């Protein structure tokens, strides 16, 4: 049985599709979960969202303790400020894909310095909510390469 891929989403992403469609598009978080499940096929996934930093850290610990196959994480605003999430991710031995719906580098300077990028295997930004599918494809490929 393959090890599950964790898809962790940070604060405010539960509001996706309801505000600022010019930046984040019209897809809801439920649509995003569907994109991920479609791309993952039979590969098990754990799709989660929380507005709490502590909850996200606990889920990263869960991924470590259950030897998850990989983590795709959109830490949202925690990306730029959470040393605690960075420290938790450092303990995860598998592939990590940092994902952002918008191109954070095209935005205001407060969105430019990701702490999570320092530990991510790869970073994706600016492909819209559908980009989660690309992130899942990238993750499956990283897991496949690792198992060969
Ligand atoms: O582009 C992304 O995915 C972000 O991670 C989204 C974060 C932002 O802080 C990052 O810089 C880039 C913000 C998420 C806010 O979510 C909303 C959802 C619906 C409507 C408004 C905001």
């Amino acid at each position: 049985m393959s090890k599950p891929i964790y898809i962790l989403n940070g604060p405010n992403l539960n509001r996706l599709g309801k505000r600022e469609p010019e930046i984040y598009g019209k897809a809801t978080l439920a649509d995003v979960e569907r994109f991920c499940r479609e791309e993952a096929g039979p590969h098990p996934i754990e799709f989660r969202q929380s507005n709490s930093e502590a909850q996200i850290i606990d889920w990263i610990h869960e991924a470590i303790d259950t030897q998850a196959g990989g983590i795709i994480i959109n830490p949202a605003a925690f990306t730029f400020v959470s040393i605690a999430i960075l420290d938790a991710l450092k303990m995860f031995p598998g592939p990590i894909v940092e994902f952002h719906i918008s191109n954070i580098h095209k935005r205001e300077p407060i969105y430019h310095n990701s702490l999570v990028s320092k530990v991510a295997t790869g970073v994706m930004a600016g492909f819209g909510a559908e980009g989660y599918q690309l992130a899942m494809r990238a993750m499956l490929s990283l897991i496949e390469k690792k198992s060969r």
Side-chain angles (χ1 to χ4, degrees):
M1 182 65 176
S2 331
K3 297 169 180 173
I5 295 167
Y6 277 62
I7 302 107
L8 303 179
N9 296 284
N12 297 309
L13 288 165
N14 53 324
R15 312 292 290 177
L16 215 53
K18 295 173 183 130
R19 294 266 190 290
E20 301 185 72
E22 66 291 354
I23 302 177
Y24 301 111
K26 288 185 184 156
T28 64
L29 197 66
D31 293 328
V32 167
E33 179 168 2
R34 188 168 41 81
F35 299 149
C36 290
R37 289 198 183 280
E38 275 169 16
E39 194 60 41
H43 200 112
I45 70 171
E46 293 290 338
F47 188 92
R48 315 246 176 107
Q49 186 277 331
S50 178
N51 295 325
S52 148
E53 185 182 22
Q55 178 64 87
I56 292 171
I57 293 163
D58 286 344
W59 286 337
I60 295 168
H61 293 173
E62 181 185 306
I64 295 163
D65 292 343
T66 61
Q67 300 180 339
I71 297 177
I72 297 171
I73 184 163
N74 183 347
F78 294 147
T79 307
F80 314 100
V81 293
S82 179
I83 294 172
I85 288 178
L86 171 66
D87 286 343
L89 287 170
K90 274 184 185 166
M91 293 186 256
F92 182 70
I96 298 169
V97 173
E98 175 186 351
F99 180 84
H100 300 282
I101 297 167
S102 61
N103 180 353
I104 53 175
H105 301 289
K106 230 164 105 176
R107 301 184 62 190
E108 303 93 306
I110 53 160
Y111 296 116
H112 291 177
N113 187 23
S114 165
L115 297 177
V116 171
S117 296
K118 299 183 191 312
V119 75
T121 312
V123 182
M124 293 177 64
F127 295 97
E130 290 80 4
Y132 276 88
Q133 244 168 320
L134 300 173
M136 181 58 73
R137 205 173 307 164
M139 178 56 77
L140 291 168
S141 153
L142 287 166
I143 291 170
E144 158 76 6
K145 273 187 207 139
K146 219 182 142 198
S147 65
R148 262 187 267 151

